[in-house]
């Protein structure tokens, strides 16, 4: 590469092998869910090499997993969204749209 540009990258947080799903959710997704309840759109993007744990982070051991320890971000987001809506009672109306797209080997 003939470019003389240099880039500096920084991390907000690094999660190690012994990190649990709840820690990732608390740091990464809970603020987004809190904003979503206030009608602010949010997005979580996972990116990395194959086998790095992106799907596990998003879904957990299984998207239908009921073990709270193993739940991924998506089940936790859904649980907390509906919990927040229930707390608001009938004074507000909510429309929820949650999408997940997985691109694997250039296939959606």
């Amino acid at each position: 590469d003939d470019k003389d540009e240099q880039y500096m990258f920084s991390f907000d947080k690094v999660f190690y092998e012994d990190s649990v799903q709840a820690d990732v959710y608390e740091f990464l997704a809970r603020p987004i869910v809190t904003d979503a309840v206030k009608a602010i759109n949010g997005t979580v993007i996972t990116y990395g090499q194959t086998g790095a744990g992106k799907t596990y982070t998003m879904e957990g051991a299984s998207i239908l997993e009921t073990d709270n320890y193993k739940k991924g971000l998506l089940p936790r987001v859904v649980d907390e969204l509906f919990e927040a809506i229930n707390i608001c009672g009938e004074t507000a109306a909510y429309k929820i749209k949650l999408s997940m797209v997985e691109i694997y080997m250039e296939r959606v």
Side-chain angles (χ1 to χ4, degrees):
D1 197 332
D2 295 334
K3 297 179 184 175
D4 290 330
E5 299 175 50
Q6 290 191 9
Y7 299 97
M8 178 158 310
F9 299 94
S10 62
F11 296 97
D12 293 332
K13 185 161 181 77
V14 174
F15 292 97
Y16 295 97
E17 290 178 12
D18 60 346
S19 298
V20 295
Q21 293 282 56
D23 293 340
V24 177
Y25 176 79
E26 289 294 323
F27 179 79
L28 178 68
R30 175 163 272 158
I32 295 170
V33 172
T34 302
D35 286 345
V37 173
K38 298 174 188 173
I40 299 170
N41 291 334
T43 301
V44 174
I45 296 174
T46 57
Y47 178 82
Q49 69 186 51
T50 299
K54 301 173 298 294
T55 302
Y56 181 79
T57 298
M58 294 304 290
E59 296 180 7
S62 164
I63 194 70
L64 301 175
E65 182 66 57
T66 56
D67 180 350
N68 211 23
Y69 182 78
K70 295 179 181 178
K71 279 185 180 179
L73 292 182
L74 289 175
R76 292 173 192 274
V77 165
V78 170
D79 288 348
E80 189 156 336
L81 276 174
F82 282 101
E83 199 174 295
I85 289 170
N86 285 334
I87 290 171
C88 291
E90 295 184 24
T91 59
Y94 288 91
K95 179 179 179 180
I96 298 172
K97 181 179 179 182
L98 181 66
S99 303
M100 179 176 163
V101 176
E102 183 174 27
I103 301 171
Y104 181 71
M105 295 185 70
E106 299 182 18
R107 290 185 176 171
V108 176

